[in-house]
């Protein structure tokens, strides 16, 4: 149980195009989903937190107009990187929180990640 | 800035030995502490979490927490080559997870 999928797993695009990444909780309902970004040899950096049916909360320094997050249902959140540039190339990982009780970290399940390369 | 510090390594240990991974943090309000393992090109997978001071054991893994010293560690007994990965320390203060950069562990046959 508690499986999170991401699609696509890998994407290569040209500079200036937009890329959409989907994150799905396959066997549970996720009231909260998180989006992280990881550059090589670096830690996972939280980009934003999304709650179903409401606007995402972005971390300081993350451009909300560039990284559009939609959490339209309890099983799906999408991250759209608009007008992508080479510096946006990174490993994007989503996670989903299964229940409202308990510590935020304990019930958080990670997707397999999406490798974005912008040429 | 809430810092989570880890030695990047690589930490090299022979097969069968004990690997000791350390993490220090700056936020005294942190309540929960997590260890994740991340293989190259993959997303993190949770190994274990600890909330209270002291030791917590799960199979070959033992997490140790000392809140007074703001220090958390992970011991891996009987290390195997398959344990070679990057180990991420993360903490939570009631919101999302704050990750360290990770320590690279290499277990040599």
């Amino acid at each position: 149980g508690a499986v999170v999928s991401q699609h696509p797993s890998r994407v290569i695009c040209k500079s200036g195009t937009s890329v959409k990444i989907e994150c799905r909780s396959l066997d549970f309902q996720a009231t909260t989903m998180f989006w992280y970004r990881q550059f090589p040899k670096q830690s996972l950096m939280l980009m934003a937190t999304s709650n179903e049916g409401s606007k995402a909360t972005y971390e300081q320094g993350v451009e909300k107009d560039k990284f559009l997050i939609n959490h339209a249902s309890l099983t799906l959140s999408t991250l759209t990187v608009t007008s992508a540039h080479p510096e946006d190339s990174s490993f994007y990982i989503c996670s989903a929180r299964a229940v409202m009780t308990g510590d935020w970290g304990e019930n958080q399940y990670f997707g397999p990640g999406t490798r974005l390369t912008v040429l | 800035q809430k810092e989570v510090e880890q030695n990047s390594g690589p930490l090299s240990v022979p097969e069968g030995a004990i690997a000791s991974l350390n993490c220090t943090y700056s936020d005294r309000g942190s309540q929960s502490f997590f260890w994740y393992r991340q293989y190259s090109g993959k997303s993190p997978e949770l190994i274990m979490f600890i909330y209270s001071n002291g030791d917590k054991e799960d199979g070959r893994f033992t997490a140790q927490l000392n809140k007074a010293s703001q220090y958390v560690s992970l011991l891996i007994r009987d290390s195997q080559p398959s344990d070679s990965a990057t180990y991420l320390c993360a903490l939570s203060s009631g919101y999302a997870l704050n990750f360290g950069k990770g320590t690279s562990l290499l277990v040599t046959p």
Side-chain angles (χ1 to χ4, degrees):
Chain A
V3 177
V4 177
S5 70
Q6 276 185 249
H7 178 79
S9 59
R10 185 180 296 268
V11 58
I12 300 173
C13 68
K14 293 182 179 180
S15 183
T17 60
S18 294
V19 175
K20 180 185 284 188
I21 303 170
E22 292 186 348
C23 176
R24 293 182 184 274
S25 56
L26 298 184
D27 50 4
F28 66 96
Q29 293 184 329
T31 54
T32 304
M33 288 186 171
F34 302 89
W35 287 95
Y36 295 86
R37 179 168 56 180
Q38 186 178 33
F39 293 107
K41 305 294 185 183
Q42 300 296 311
S43 66
L44 275 74
M45 297 299 296
L46 179 66
M47 299 175 67
T49 302
S50 72
N51 293 293
E52 185 265 339
S54 62
K55 291 184 178 180
T57 301
Y58 290 81
E59 295 300 301
Q60 190 173 11
V62 178
E63 301 174 58
K64 62 180 180 180
D65 294 330
K66 181 172 182 62
F67 298 99
L68 302 179
I69 292 173
N70 184 284
H71 193 161
S73 76
L74 287 173
T75 59
L76 173 64
S77 177
T78 60
L79 167 67
T80 301
V81 183
T82 62
S83 186
H85 291 284
E87 58 265 30
D88 298 322
S89 298
S90 188
F91 192 43
Y92 291 85
I93 307 171
C94 74
S95 69
R97 189 163 186 259
V99 296
M100 291 297 291
T101 58
D103 185 84
W104 284 80
E106 183 178 344
N107 299 305
Q108 196 173 146
Y109 301 95
F110 284 85
T114 296
R115 177 76 59 190
L116 171 63
T117 302
V118 185
L119 303 176
Chain B
Q1 183 76 17
K2 299 178 181 178
E3 300 288 340
V4 182
E5 299 290 341
Q6 295 182 257
N7 188 318
S8 61
L11 172 66
S12 183
V13 300
E15 183 175 358
I18 296 175
S20 178
L21 304 161
N22 304 315
C23 173
T24 59
Y25 60 95
S26 62
D27 182 14
R28 285 192 173 275
S30 300
Q31 301 168 0
S32 309
F33 305 85
F34 303 82
W35 282 101
Y36 286 83
R37 177 173 61 195
Q38 186 177 28
Y39 293 109
S40 180
K42 304 294 184 182
S43 66
E45 53 181 321
L46 181 65
I47 298 175
M48 60 191 307
F49 55 87
I50 185 168
Y51 299 151
S52 304
N53 279 326
D55 295 359
K56 179 181 179 182
E57 186 175 319
D58 184 0
R60 295 187 297 115
F61 300 97
T62 299
Q64 299 174 316
L65 175 61
N66 184 325
K67 291 186 178 180
S69 300
Q70 295 174 248
Y71 175 95
V72 58
S73 66
L74 179 70
L75 300 178
I76 306 175
R77 290 181 297 282
D78 188 23
S79 296
Q80 301 298 310
S82 57
D83 293 327
S84 297
T86 297
Y87 289 79
L88 304 172
C89 171
L91 53 89
S92 167
S93 53
Y95 181 50
L97 290 169
N98 185 15
F99 284 88
K101 291 185 178 181
T103 297
S104 176
L105 173 66
L106 177 63
V107 181
T108 56

